[in-house]
Amino acid sequence: MLQRSGIITTFILFCWTAGSGHAFADDQCSVTVFETNAGEAAKNCTAVLDGGRLTKAAHAEALKIRVRALHRMGRLDEAIKDYEKALSIAPDDPELHLRRGWTAYDQRDFDTVFAQAHGALKLKPGYADVYGLIGAALSLGGPEKFAQAKVAYDEAIRLQPLEPLHRFNRLWLLKRNDFHQEAIQEADAILALPEPLITRPSAVTSYLRSTTYRIAVAMERALLLRTVGRIDEARQAYDRAIELDPDAQTFAWRAEFRLTQAAYIPGAPPPSLDAVQDDLTKALALAPDYWFSLNQQAHVHFIGHQYELAAEEYARALKGYPINGTMRWKYAITLRKLGRGEEAAAEAITSFNVDPGFMEEKLGVLQKRGYLAAIPPDTDPRPALMDAVRACMLDEDCG
């Protein structure tokens, strides 16, 4: 199951908010507090700001910490107001321009992104993090912007060769544009960085789980090896990842690999469900609510015709990742197996509503099976789509 674009935005946001910053004199309004508890930092910095009697520099610094906390908490409009206020006080602070650029990135306001990036570089030439922002913005421009995005990431890496974030983002750029071999090489380069740099806890978010660069990159590398047909190496990669990092994510991904390896190896024997279950038991013991582990556990129950248990696990998994259309569709299929047809149809329709990318993947199946006819131009497609989904849910052969 591949990660959606929304999750890519999540890990970029998480990484830059955890980046460098100047400590404020008040220990309660500090980068240290922000990195451990954004809500607490926002509250403490507000108290400091409301207390008054701050120097201009201290006022700007308190705002800078509070705004990072607000941004991490998803309070984007408030964050932008704070950034504008801080910039009015300290217009020559390049970090403020960089971070204001990231709020513009979240709004897909690319004129402001590049204006703030230009301002930051004018104040601080060779500011590697700014090239990371430029690369992230250009990477959303599709294949035609690939070369420019890569140049920006290349420059960030040239300026900060030991910073995993820039290389990780370049890895994703290569992967999304189907440069699989180059992406594998990038993964190898990240994993070769000094261990302390790639084993920091909660340094990056991968598949909605805060983790280390080493775990996140090892999982991406294994997926890429599978994609290019290097299955034995992929198997070794999962085993090695568990040896180094026996984590909920590494166990869950090896379970997923074992469950799906028949799709990658024609004629392969059925997976050993005992081995799969052993990995999932370990994964869920480490993180009982992790959606990816629950998703795989639900699949194991489904294979074993234990549909009640499968439905329970899918429902739990969807609490952690409600916009995953593929998983919601599987939940719908499970409900159909239980004879809960109306609920199945409702979940299947919801999978389309919350995940347009999944809907695009599924349209061909619905058309091939005759549930969906060609939709005339200038016609609202939704009624026909909903009817097609309901018809599919009434057909046991429609998956």
Side-chain angles (χ1 to χ4, degrees), residues 29 57 72 146 177 241 283 378 382:
C29 175
R72 177 177 286 184
F146 166 78
N177 287 274
D378 303 321
R382 287 172 295 181

Side-chain angles (χ1 to χ4, degrees), residues 152-361:
Y153 283 138
D154 289 347
E155 182 63 8
I157 292 166
R158 185 188 72 80
L159 292 164
Q160 278 186 315
L162 296 180
E163 171 52 59
L165 171 60
H166 306 316
R167 291 184 178 276
F168 191 48
N169 287 342
R170 186 168 69 177
L171 165 61
W172 267 97
L173 176 71
L174 292 165
K175 178 181 174 179
R176 288 200 308 275
N177 287 274
D178 297 329
F179 289 89
H180 298 131
Q181 298 291 355
E182 291 90 337
I184 292 170
Q185 293 170 9
E186 188 69 71
D188 289 337
I190 297 170
L191 294 173
L193 290 173
E195 187 172 309
L197 299 179
I198 58 174
T199 56
R200 296 193 303 264
S202 302
V204 66
T205 298
S206 173
Y207 298 93
L208 301 186
R209 179 173 169 79
S210 295
T211 189
T212 67
Y213 281 109
R214 185 164 71 184
I215 290 174
V217 172
M219 296 303 93
E220 292 305 326
R221 180 176 179 273
L223 275 171
L224 287 161
L225 290 168
R226 290 160 63 174
T227 300
V228 300
R230 293 159 61 180
I231 306 302
D232 286 340
E233 291 177 74
R235 183 181 296 106
Q236 293 167 14
Y238 287 119
D239 292 344
R240 177 61 172 163
I242 287 173
E243 179 185 335
L244 290 173
D245 298 294
D247 177 82
Q249 203 161 8
T250 54
F251 281 119
W253 272 105
R254 187 169 70 176
E256 186 273 344
F257 169 67
R258 286 171 164 168
L259 277 169
T260 60
Q261 60 184 317
Y264 294 87
I265 313 173
S272 167
L273 292 184
D274 287 343
V276 170
Q277 188 59 65
D278 182 58
D279 275 348
L280 290 175
T281 298
K282 291 172 181 175
L284 289 166
L286 291 164
D289 297 321
Y290 183 38
W291 73 270
F292 190 77
S293 304
L294 292 168
N295 182 30
Q296 304 311 316
Q297 184 65 77
H299 186 46
V300 170
H301 288 322
F302 188 93
I303 292 171
H305 307 292
Q306 296 175 297
Y307 301 122
E308 288 283 1
L309 291 174
E312 290 174 11
E313 300 293 16
Y314 277 131
R316 289 180 62 200
L318 284 164
K319 289 179 181 178
Y321 195 177
I323 62 170
N324 187 308
T326 301
M327 188 162 61
R328 195 169 286 277
W329 185 272
K330 290 179 179 178
Y331 180 41
I333 298 296
T334 306
L335 293 173
R336 184 178 68 189
K337 290 285 188 182
L338 292 168
R340 295 157 61 180
E342 288 299 320
E343 292 175 75
E347 288 294 339
I349 289 169
T350 301
S351 72
F352 276 26
N353 290 335
V354 300
D355 192 345
F358 171 74
M359 180 179 66
E360 291 175 12
E361 294 173 13

Side-chain angles (χ1 to χ4, degrees), residues 73-84:
M73 295 160 65
R75 293 159 62 178
L76 187 59
D77 290 340
E78 295 173 75
I80 290 172
K81 287 180 183 177
D82 263 10
Y83 274 129
E84 295 296 345

